[in-house]
Amino acid sequence: MSLKVCVLGSGSAGNSIFVRSDEVKILIDLGLSPARVEKSLKVLGETSDGINVLLTHCHGDHVAGADKFVRRHPDAHLYCDGACYRSIADKIGAAYASLTPEYGDFYIGDVTVSPFRVDHDVPCAGYGIYSGGHKITVATDLGVFSDSLLERAADSDVMVIECNHDERLLKQNPHYSYRLKERILSSHGHLSNRACGEAIARLADRGVKQFVLAHLSRENNYPELAFETVREALDERGLESKVNIEVAQQDGMSGLFEVGKEA
């Protein structure tokens, strides 16, 4: 049994992540257009038929494509918590959505889905996806990497984690208001490059080896800077050689990561 994951696109302009088990297809978030999601799935040799959608929260960069997608694919099964559901029900239609148990594990085919709360300014979930003894964890839109999240993610084969902004670029950004900057920098905002690097170092100490940096800000970050900041945090602790890091792109797909495939 194996699990595959590919970030179809991630950043402040839209997010969607594809996860595949032997039996189940899952999209985590639909912040990209349905056409782009379908095109990306085709590249992977997949279709949208019977796909399951897990929404993390109600912000547009995570749900903007949900209404059109479920209308184009009426056999899609959409999962979200109560707060997210109430915010989008009038657009997607009640028939398309299922409330997840409030952050309790549930099952889709051969996959166990383990949602958990992350610190953000609206109710927001991360997800652990388990199948065949393997695990992929997704945690974006979090203001702080907590001890509880460390425990949730410590046994992951692949970790998709937010690496949103460089603090200096954000603070110097003339287009952002003081209030917006304070929101992003708060414990209910977004994870900075530096904080992401420290989180990855903690996870690397617990044996996690593959990371994908996600949800980069277009105005307050860029891929090379995110990668270098995380690399420096690992190098300071002598961990750089123990992990693999890829930076997800806003306008393109990440690599396809597969765990559990038999030789």
Side-chain angles (χ1 to χ4, degrees), residues 87-112:
S87 73
I88 62 174
D90 60 332
K91 294 182 179 180
I92 63 170
Y96 291 116
S98 295
L99 296 183
T100 66
E102 291 295 323
Y103 297 100
D105 292 0
F106 60 99
Y107 307 94
I108 308 173
D110 62 344
V111 166
T112 301

Side-chain angles (χ1 to χ4, degrees), residues 57 59 118-124 141-143 183 187-190:
H57 65 298
H59 284 162
V118 295
D119 295 295
H120 200 41
D121 59 353
V122 297
C124 187
D141 293 73
L142 58 151
R183 169 189 167 268
S187 61
H188 289 81
H190 291 278

Side-chain angles (χ1 to χ4, degrees), residues 152-200:
R152 283 275 188 175
D155 56 346
S156 301
D157 293 284
V158 181
M159 176 78 183
V160 181
I161 184 171
E162 179 173 56
C163 195
N164 180 256
H165 61 275
D166 176 79
E167 293 183 9
R168 181 183 60 82
L169 291 181
L170 173 62
K171 291 175 180 179
Q172 294 178 355
N173 189 334
H175 306 295
Y176 278 37
S177 67
Y178 174 80
R179 177 174 292 183
L180 178 56
K181 293 176 182 179
E182 288 297 297
R183 169 189 167 268
I184 294 171
L185 291 166
S186 76
S187 61
H188 289 81
H190 291 278
L191 207 64
S192 71
N193 294 346
R194 179 177 55 82
C196 177
E198 293 169 354
I200 287 177

